[in-house]
Amino acid sequence: MKKIELLAPAGDLERLKVVLLYGADAVYVGGEKLGLRANATNFTIKELKEGCTFAHSLKKRVYLTTNIVFHDKDRIEMEKYINEVVDCGIDAFIVSDLYLAKYIVDNYPKVEVHISTQDSITNIESAKFYKEIGAKRVVLARELSKKEIKEISSIPNLDTEVFIHGAMCTCFSGRCTLSNYVTNRDANRGGCAQVCRFAFAYNDIDKFSLATKDLNMAMYIKDLIDIGVSSLKVEGRMRSLYYLATVIGSYRFLIDNIYDNTLTNEKLQEYKKRLDSVANRDTTSQYFNHLADFTDQYYTGRQEVSNQEYLGLIIGYDEEMESIVLKERNYFKVGDEVEIFTPTGEIYPYKIETIYNEDNEEIDIARHPEEILKLPFKMRLIPYSMIRLIRKDEKSNV
C-alpha cells in the first residue's frame, strides 16, 4: 500500500528546507507569477531551481501554485514562465484555470497538474471531469464531510488531497470577495487582506467578526488514510520556521506511528498537545464530522496570543567552548527548563545553567531577539534543530 503524502507549505527557500527536513514528503511554493500569495516572499527562478534540487536530493517533490483567477493579460508571459519553471524541475502545477490546466497537460505531459482548492470541488462528477482533461490530482474543497471525501477518493487513478491543518477561509474554499469589497485588494489574484479577521463595530461598545477557527485533523488522520486520501495538506506559507517545524514534525510522527501500528492514545494526545501549543487560535475539525456551526466560528471576544515558547534556532557549534550556537527568538534565562529538538525527532531535555553572548561573556538573561548566543552542550546537532520552553507540567513523553 502506498503511504499517504504529507504536503507542507513553504514561503521561501529556508522554509522549504525546514519542512522537508522535518518530514514533509512534498512542498508547495509560490513563484513570482500566477500565484495567490502576492504578499509572501515567493520564489525567484534561481531559488525555485535550488529548492527543486534540494528536494529531489531527498527524493521529495515540489509543487508550484499557479492558481490565480486568470485574465487575458496573464497570458502575455505565461508560456515563457511555464517553460522556465518546468526547467527548474518542479513536479506539479497547482492550477485553478481550465485553460491553463489544459495547456500544461498538452505541452508538459511529464509534469503533473493538480486542480486547486480554488475550484471548490465538492462532488464526484466534477472530480471525474478534471481527471478526463488530464489532471493527476484534485485538491478537495475544505467544506466536505468524511462521507463526501471518501466517495471522491474512490475514483480510480485520481489522487485526492485534503487540508488537515491551519487557517480556514470564511468564504467557500477561498473564493473570497470580502477583501475586494472592503480594501479593494483582490483575494483571488493574490491580494487577500484577511478581512474575515477584522473586528467590525456594530454599536459604540461591541464588535463582531466573521472568522473561522483553525483546522486541526490530528485525531482523524487514520480515518483519512483508511478512506483512501492521497495527500494531507498543511496550510501556512507565511508561518514561522518554528510553527512549520512543530506542525510538520508532529504529523510526520503521527502518520508513521499509524503505519507501523505504534500509535497509542498517549502518543496521539502528545502530538495534539504540540500542535495546540503553536496555535494562536482555537482549532476544530470543521466540516469533517458535521456541518460547521457556531462552535467552529468566532463571533465576538476572539483573542490571538502570540506564542512565546520558541526560544531559538540552532545555527552552529563552537568546538572550543563545546557549545551550541543559536539565534535567539524569545526571552529566556538561567534556570529555565527547555527542550532541544531536531528534524529527525530527537528530543533532549535541558536545564539552562549558563548562557554566553557572541563575545563569550557570561550573561543571566537573553532578552534580545536575533542575538547570537551559546549554550554548553556536548554534541553537535544537525541543521535546523531548535529550542523551545517547556513548562514543568508539559514535558514531552514521546
Side-chain angles (χ1 to χ4, degrees):
M1 179 175 62
K2 184 179 179 182
K3 200 170 187 178
I4 201 166
E5 176 186 84
L6 177 58
L7 176 59
D12 57 32
L13 192 56
E14 185 174 40
R15 286 175 171 82
L16 178 146
K17 293 178 179 179
V18 166
V19 295
L20 292 177
L21 289 171
Y22 273 86
D25 299 301
V27 60
Y28 64 99
V29 305
E32 294 179 299
K33 300 175 183 178
L34 307 181
L36 276 179
R37 287 293 179 270
N39 296 323
T41 304
N42 293 323
F43 282 67
T44 64
I45 294 297
K46 180 180 178 181
E47 289 169 336
L48 187 60
K49 186 173 183 178
E50 183 179 344
C52 289
T53 299
F54 181 84
H56 295 160
S57 73
L58 300 175
K59 302 189 184 313
K60 300 186 177 186
R61 289 154 58 87
V62 178
Y63 308 148
L64 182 71
T65 57
T66 50
N67 55 347
I68 62 169
V69 170
F70 204 72
H71 288 223
D72 280 332
K73 66 181 180 181
D74 297 312
R75 294 184 60 249
I76 296 173
E77 296 184 356
M78 179 204 77
E79 294 182 12
K80 177 184 176 183
Y81 179 67
I82 296 296
N83 192 63
E84 286 177 335
V85 297
V86 169
D87 285 345
C88 289
I90 65 167
D91 300 283
F93 289 94
I94 302 174
V95 180
S96 63
D97 185 82
L98 278 174
Y99 162 73
L100 185 57
K102 191 69 167 60
Y103 175 84
I104 296 168
V105 167
D106 290 344
N107 292 279
Y108 299 95
K110 293 184 179 179
V111 183
E112 294 178 4
V113 168
H114 299 175
I115 303 301
S116 171
T117 189
Q118 296 299 120
D119 275 25
S120 302
I121 298 169
T122 57
N123 66 82
I124 193 168
E125 296 303 327
S126 291
K128 287 178 179 178
F129 167 78
Y130 286 114
K131 178 186 174 183
E132 289 171 4
I133 69 168
K136 170 65 175 174
R137 177 183 297 185
V138 289
V139 187
L140 299 183
R142 303 177 213 193
E143 295 77 15
L144 297 187
S145 67
K146 177 180 177 179
K147 179 181 177 181
E148 292 169 320
I149 294 170
K150 182 178 181 180
E151 182 177 14
I152 298 174
S153 296
S154 70
I155 301 173
N157 302 314
L158 180 68
D159 290 351
T160 52
E161 178 179 307
V162 300
F163 281 90
I164 60 167
H165 201 90
M168 293 281 286
C169 185
T170 297
C171 295
F172 207 94
S173 274
R175 292 187 172 190
C176 177
T177 57
L178 290 173
S179 184
N180 306 54
Y181 183 78
V182 176
T183 68
N184 202 31
R185 288 169 50 178
D186 192 341
N188 296 292
R189 289 181 60 79
C192 179
Q194 295 192 321
V195 172
C196 56
R197 303 290 180 196
F198 289 11
F200 295 93
Y202 65 89
N203 58 39
D204 292 336
I205 300 174
D206 301 308
K207 296 180 179 180
F208 74 95
S209 70
L210 307 170
T212 61
K213 296 178 181 178
D214 281 4
L215 179 66
N216 183 333
M217 289 289 289
M219 306 299 288
Y220 304 102
I221 297 303
K222 188 176 187 306
D223 294 281
L224 292 168
I225 292 172
D226 290 344
I227 64 179
V229 169
S230 307
S231 181
L232 305 176
K233 186 172 193 172
V234 173
E235 178 275 337
R237 273 188 276 163
M238 299 174 71
R239 300 276 194 167
S240 71
L241 292 180
Y242 175 65
Y243 175 93
L244 292 171
T246 302
V247 170
I248 297 303
S250 297
Y251 278 110
R252 174 76 277 150
F253 290 114
L254 196 164
I255 293 166
D256 291 347
N257 288 167
I258 291 171
Y259 277 95
D260 62 22
N261 294 313
T262 60
L263 182 64
T264 63
N265 185 62
E266 182 182 30
K267 285 184 177 180
L268 180 57
Q269 294 303 322
E270 177 65 28
Y271 297 138
K272 188 174 186 305
K273 183 179 73 176
R274 289 183 191 170
L275 291 166
D276 288 341
S277 75
V278 295
N280 60 359
R281 289 188 288 268
D282 294 332
T283 62
T284 79
S285 59
Q286 294 289 343
Y287 291 82
F288 191 68
N289 290 310
H290 64 267
L291 187 64
D293 58 24
F294 69 94
T295 64
D296 302 297
Q297 178 86 20
Y298 287 114
Y299 294 99
T300 59
R302 183 176 97 252
Q303 289 186 332
E304 298 185 7
V305 180
S306 177
N307 185 284
Q308 301 294 316
E309 70 181 32
Y310 174 32
L311 302 185
L313 174 68
I314 296 171
I315 59 173
Y317 191 77
D318 188 318
E319 299 282 358
E320 185 176 339
M321 296 188 67
E322 292 188 319
S323 297
I324 51 176
V325 181
L326 69 142
K327 182 181 290 187
E328 182 191 348
R329 180 65 178 86
N330 281 301
Y331 168 100
F332 62 91
K333 65 185 184 306
V334 169
D336 283 344
E337 293 189 21
V338 305
E339 282 182 346
I340 300 171
F341 64 102
T342 75
T344 48
E346 293 85 7
I347 295 176
Y348 303 98
Y350 182 87
K351 184 172 182 178
I352 298 176
E353 296 180 345
T354 309
I355 307 171
Y356 297 102
N357 64 18
E358 196 169 11
D359 297 321
N360 298 331
E361 299 168 334
E362 193 169 333
I363 59 176
D364 293 327
I365 299 174
R367 61 174 87 246
H368 304 295
E370 301 300 309
E371 185 176 9
I372 305 301
L373 302 169
K374 300 176 184 180
L375 300 176
F377 198 70
K378 292 296 184 181
M379 63 183 291
R380 179 187 292 272
L381 297 168
I382 61 176
Y384 294 107
S385 297
M386 301 183 191
I387 301 179
R388 61 184 168 214
L389 181 67
I390 299 296
R391 291 183 289 274
K392 290 184 180 181
D393 61 340
E394 293 187 352
K395 292 182 181 179
S396 293
N397 296 311
V398 297

